[in-house]
Amino acid sequence: MALVFGVEKKTVPNYMKYVMGGTSGMLATCIVQPMDLLKTRMQISGTLGTREYKSSYEVLSKVLKNEGVLSLYNGLSAGLVRQATYTTARMGVYQMELDWYRKNYENDPSVVATMTMGIGAGAFGAFFGNPAEVALIRMMSDNRLMPEDRRNYKNVGDAFVRIVRDEGVVALWRGCLPTVGRAMVINMVQLGSYSLMKDQFRGYLNEGIPLHLSAALMSGLLTTLASMPLDLAKTRIQQMRVIEGKPEYSGTVDVLKKVLMNEGAFAMWKGFTPYLIRMGPHTIFSFVFLEQMNKAYKKHVLGDEQSDPAH
């Protein structure tokens, strides 16, 4: 513990780092869920043998026309559970890694160190969040199927029960490898670039929401470009059906090979616009909510009026 003028400086307890990390992700998900649905529909477009959508706008118009506005929030319960598991774990672990680094090296971590910590936090979080990820993808893609082929999960709890009953508990971790791989890439780029951009923008902006927004916006763009191919592979594996004991894809590499052969290289970034629109605001809102919750906790609970919310 650090001492300031002979008085022990209070710090945010570890359990609150998890709580605030998960809460920030859940709040952001409530805002960007429609974009996640559009991105998912674009990524699985073509898996039924035809190209269902030409653009994100066409997805949106068809969903609104055929399914109604509330269908944009299909899978929200799974999205919230995903954030409660994945984001809680990754942001909590990352905050603890950050505190450990600062305690042992008495300095802020370098970009390389930040990216390394992000990889570990992402992998840890993705493993625990994979079951909710499977439920989320299936619930968002269900309405595009013929009525007789739909799974019709009532909510994320119903999805878990039926997946375990019909396919076995291992099915909850279907697509885990690309999910973990994507999370490692996302966290390496997202957390590393966010810290780097904050440092760069500090020369022009004071600590506060404008600085956090600017850094998160750039971080979201870089993260989208880097993670989309693995995100596409994850999405297709998690929603695929096993017909007569034979799965549609054997793994991540198989998905990417088939997409390259049948749909072209640019299909790797299919759904880029809604993914960016989803990733950008989600990154922004997650970090801004997290920074503000940290600031509020330190001010109102710990009584630290001078704390930098980033620290």
Side-chain angles (χ1 to χ4, degrees), residues 292-311:
Q292 295 306 306
M293 282 188 285
N294 264 303
K295 182 178 181 180
Y297 189 91
K298 290 179 179 179
K299 179 179 180 180
H300 298 293
V301 179
L302 302 182
D304 186 355
E305 299 283 347
Q306 304 298 321
S307 284
D308 178 347
H311 293 66

Side-chain angles (χ1 to χ4, degrees), residues 116-179:
T116 302
M117 290 188 292
I119 290 173
F124 184 82
F127 179 80
F128 286 100
N130 200 83
E133 187 89 41
V134 172
L136 174 64
I137 295 300
R138 292 185 177 189
M139 292 173 74
M140 289 193 298
S141 62
D142 209 33
N143 281 353
R144 63 186 273 278
L145 301 173
M146 296 297 290
E148 62 271 18
D149 294 327
R150 294 175 186 172
R151 297 181 171 97
N152 294 316
Y153 298 140
K154 297 175 183 177
N155 51 53
V156 65
D158 182 49
F160 288 158
V161 170
R162 289 175 54 190
I163 289 171
V164 172
R165 184 189 66 198
D166 300 337
E167 305 169 54
V169 68
V170 176
L172 290 173
W173 276 269
R174 179 175 290 172
C176 188
L177 185 60
T179 299

Side-chain angles (χ1 to χ4, degrees), residues 164-208:
V164 172
R165 184 189 66 198
D166 300 337
E167 305 169 54
V169 68
V170 176
L172 290 173
W173 276 269
R174 179 175 290 172
C176 188
L177 185 60
T179 299
V180 169
R182 182 200 64 161
M184 292 169 71
V185 171
I186 285 177
N187 283 270
M188 178 182 70
V189 178
Q190 187 182 69
L191 297 174
S193 62
Y194 181 72
S195 296
L196 177 62
M197 292 301 169
K198 276 183 69 175
D199 289 340
Q200 294 297 316
F201 290 149
R202 274 199 179 99
Y204 308 95
L205 298 169
N206 294 325
E207 185 67 44

Side-chain angles (χ1 to χ4, degrees), residues 243-295:
I243 302 173
E244 297 181 356
K246 186 177 181 181
E248 186 178 358
Y249 304 107
S250 61
T252 304
V253 175
D254 186 43
V255 174
L256 298 180
K257 282 172 59 179
K258 287 180 177 177
V259 170
L260 278 172
M261 290 175 58
N262 301 325
E263 302 171 50
F266 286 111
M268 296 286 190
W269 285 269
K270 185 180 287 185
F272 177 83
T273 301
Y275 190 62
L276 177 61
I277 295 174
R278 183 260 183 204
M279 178 66 74
H282 197 278
T283 302
I284 291 170
F285 288 124
S286 293
F287 278 120
V288 169
F289 285 140
L290 182 61
E291 300 263 16
Q292 295 306 306
M293 282 188 285
N294 264 303
K295 182 178 181 180

Side-chain angles (χ1 to χ4, degrees), residues 97-119:
E97 289 174 330
L98 206 55
D99 287 346
W100 175 87
Y101 189 98
R102 286 168 175 159
K103 179 180 179 181
N104 286 273
Y105 294 96
E106 298 181 350
N107 201 355
D108 286 340
S110 64
V111 174
V112 173
T114 300
M115 294 171 75
T116 302
M117 290 188 292
I119 290 173

